[in-house]
Amino acid sequence: MNIVLSALRFNPGKTYGAEVYLAHMLSALARVATSHRLIVLCASASRDWFIREFPGIEVRDHPMPRGTVLALAEEQRVAASLIRAAKGDVAFFPFNLMPIVPGPTVLMVHDLAAFYYRSNFPRYRPAFNLAQKIMVSVSIRAARAIVTPSRAAAEEVARHFPAAAARITTIPEAVPSLSGDSGATLPDAWTQGPYLLLQTGAKLPHKSQHTSLEALALVKERAPHLYDQLQLVVTGGDAAELADLNAVALRCGVADRVHLAGRVPREVLGAVSARADVHLFPTLYEGFGLGIVEALSLGRPFLASDLPVLREVAGGEGVFFTPGDAAEMATKLEAMLAAPPLPTTAPAWTWDDHARELLSVLSAQE
């Protein structure tokens, strides 16, 4: 079977979660699909990255414009001919959107974030999220089969698209290759104190990063001796996002304990993740919860919003608080630091398991 994976709209280094998923999934798929031919379609600008990261996988590139809408339009224009030229038996689209093409298709729907934003943050990029909502809707209706990374995501898709329910298969993502033994040196400021807290992710409304800063302000007010022993490292986000978050830290009076690191090399992320006493996840919405799995993989305690998807991914591990409730978050953080919980346990599910289940879905479409 010839499997064509379309990564035409993927840009390495732009989106952490997408890159982690693609890198692990594609490597595992190459390991388990040895009797099949695997072809990756990518943007010409990304060709070198794919060849370097996935030696032995057939890579075909095409010049792609920048911008989600323009790139999607170009993918719609050329996908069918590229799949046909590769003699593809089935096409896999790993990032929520897909063009309308003839033949068997499988779509990975990581989340319905645009739907969430339209309902909960209607003033945040309204035109972009409306366009995303429309394009995701068209993609879901067109796909022959749909894969989601969690039962919660599957239920959400089925709730919005009842006719698609029978076409959905849930295949969990697995533990990323995040190592705490990378040898990376952390800045001294991060480790000045007995307690290191870590929060990852871009400053997007649904990440609710301000909740952690507000919780930290409450710890400062209620337990100043504990606050003086804390350092909070926040990774992810661009310069504008970091400036906004710094303004929140200043307003909350906790800027002296908050280190806005931006996007850091994976070696540094592994080192700080392994060192962190508590990982913080104040998010309001997720389709999976990659950060939870990363904490589990390193045996680190975590404090997270009480969302069904995070409970599902955590598998009985971790401590949870009501989403958006900074006071409850502060109380539970104080308790965790006063009596550190036992190390967490990494899930046994692997990326090869994920790839085998995905291969089964792909094969069923031939």
Side-chain angles (χ1 to χ4, degrees), residues 127 218 347:
L218 290 171

Side-chain angles (χ1 to χ4, degrees), residues 90-138:
V90 60
F92 176 47
F93 299 90
F95 300 124
N96 282 27
L97 301 174
M98 59 170 274
I100 308 303
V101 295
T105 54
V106 176
L107 174 69
M108 180 70 172
V109 179
H110 295 270
D111 56 49
L112 293 181
F115 292 68
Y116 175 82
Y117 275 109
R118 293 287 296 173
S119 299
N120 295 276
F121 295 96
R123 295 184 179 180
Y124 178 75
R125 304 182 70 184
F128 174 82
N129 285 312
L130 176 59
Q132 284 280 314
K133 182 176 179 179
I134 293 170
M135 290 186 293
V136 169
S137 299
V138 171

Side-chain angles (χ1 to χ4, degrees), residues 118-284:
R118 293 287 296 173
S119 299
N120 295 276
F121 295 96
R123 295 184 179 180
Y124 178 75
R125 304 182 70 184
F128 174 82
N129 285 312
L130 176 59
Q132 284 280 314
K133 182 176 179 179
I134 293 170
M135 290 186 293
V136 169
S137 299
V138 171
S139 299
I140 288 174
R141 293 188 175 101
R144 180 178 292 187
I146 299 163
V147 175
T148 65
S150 65
R151 294 190 303 275
E155 290 168 2
E156 184 181 16
V157 172
R159 187 166 62 251
H160 285 281
F161 303 95
R167 293 183 279 127
I168 302 172
T169 301
T170 295
I171 307 177
E173 296 178 25
V175 176
S177 56
L178 196 64
S179 172
D181 301 321
S182 64
T185 301
L186 302 180
D188 291 340
W190 295 9
T191 57
Q192 289 180 355
Y195 302 118
L196 174 61
L197 312 178
L198 176 64
Q199 181 169 294
T200 59
K203 186 186 177 297
L204 296 171
H206 77 277
K207 295 295 185 182
S208 193
Q209 290 185 331
H210 66 278
T211 301
S212 294
L213 303 183
E214 293 167 0
L216 210 59
L218 290 171
V219 173
K220 180 180 181 180
E221 176 186 328
R222 300 188 313 207
H225 62 288
L226 180 59
Y227 175 81
D228 289 340
Q229 301 178 74
L230 296 175
Q231 303 291 341
L232 170 61
V233 174
V234 181
T235 66
D238 58 25
E241 293 171 345
L242 295 179
D244 289 345
L245 200 56
N246 186 58
V248 176
L250 289 168
R251 175 173 56 80
C252 291
V254 297
D256 60 321
R257 296 288 159 180
V258 176
H259 307 277
L260 304 177
R263 188 180 176 98
V264 299
R266 193 150 179 81
E267 295 77 16
V268 174
L269 181 61
V272 70
S273 296
R275 169 67 176 78
D277 296 283
V278 181
H279 290 232
L280 306 179
F281 301 103
T283 182
L284 302 175

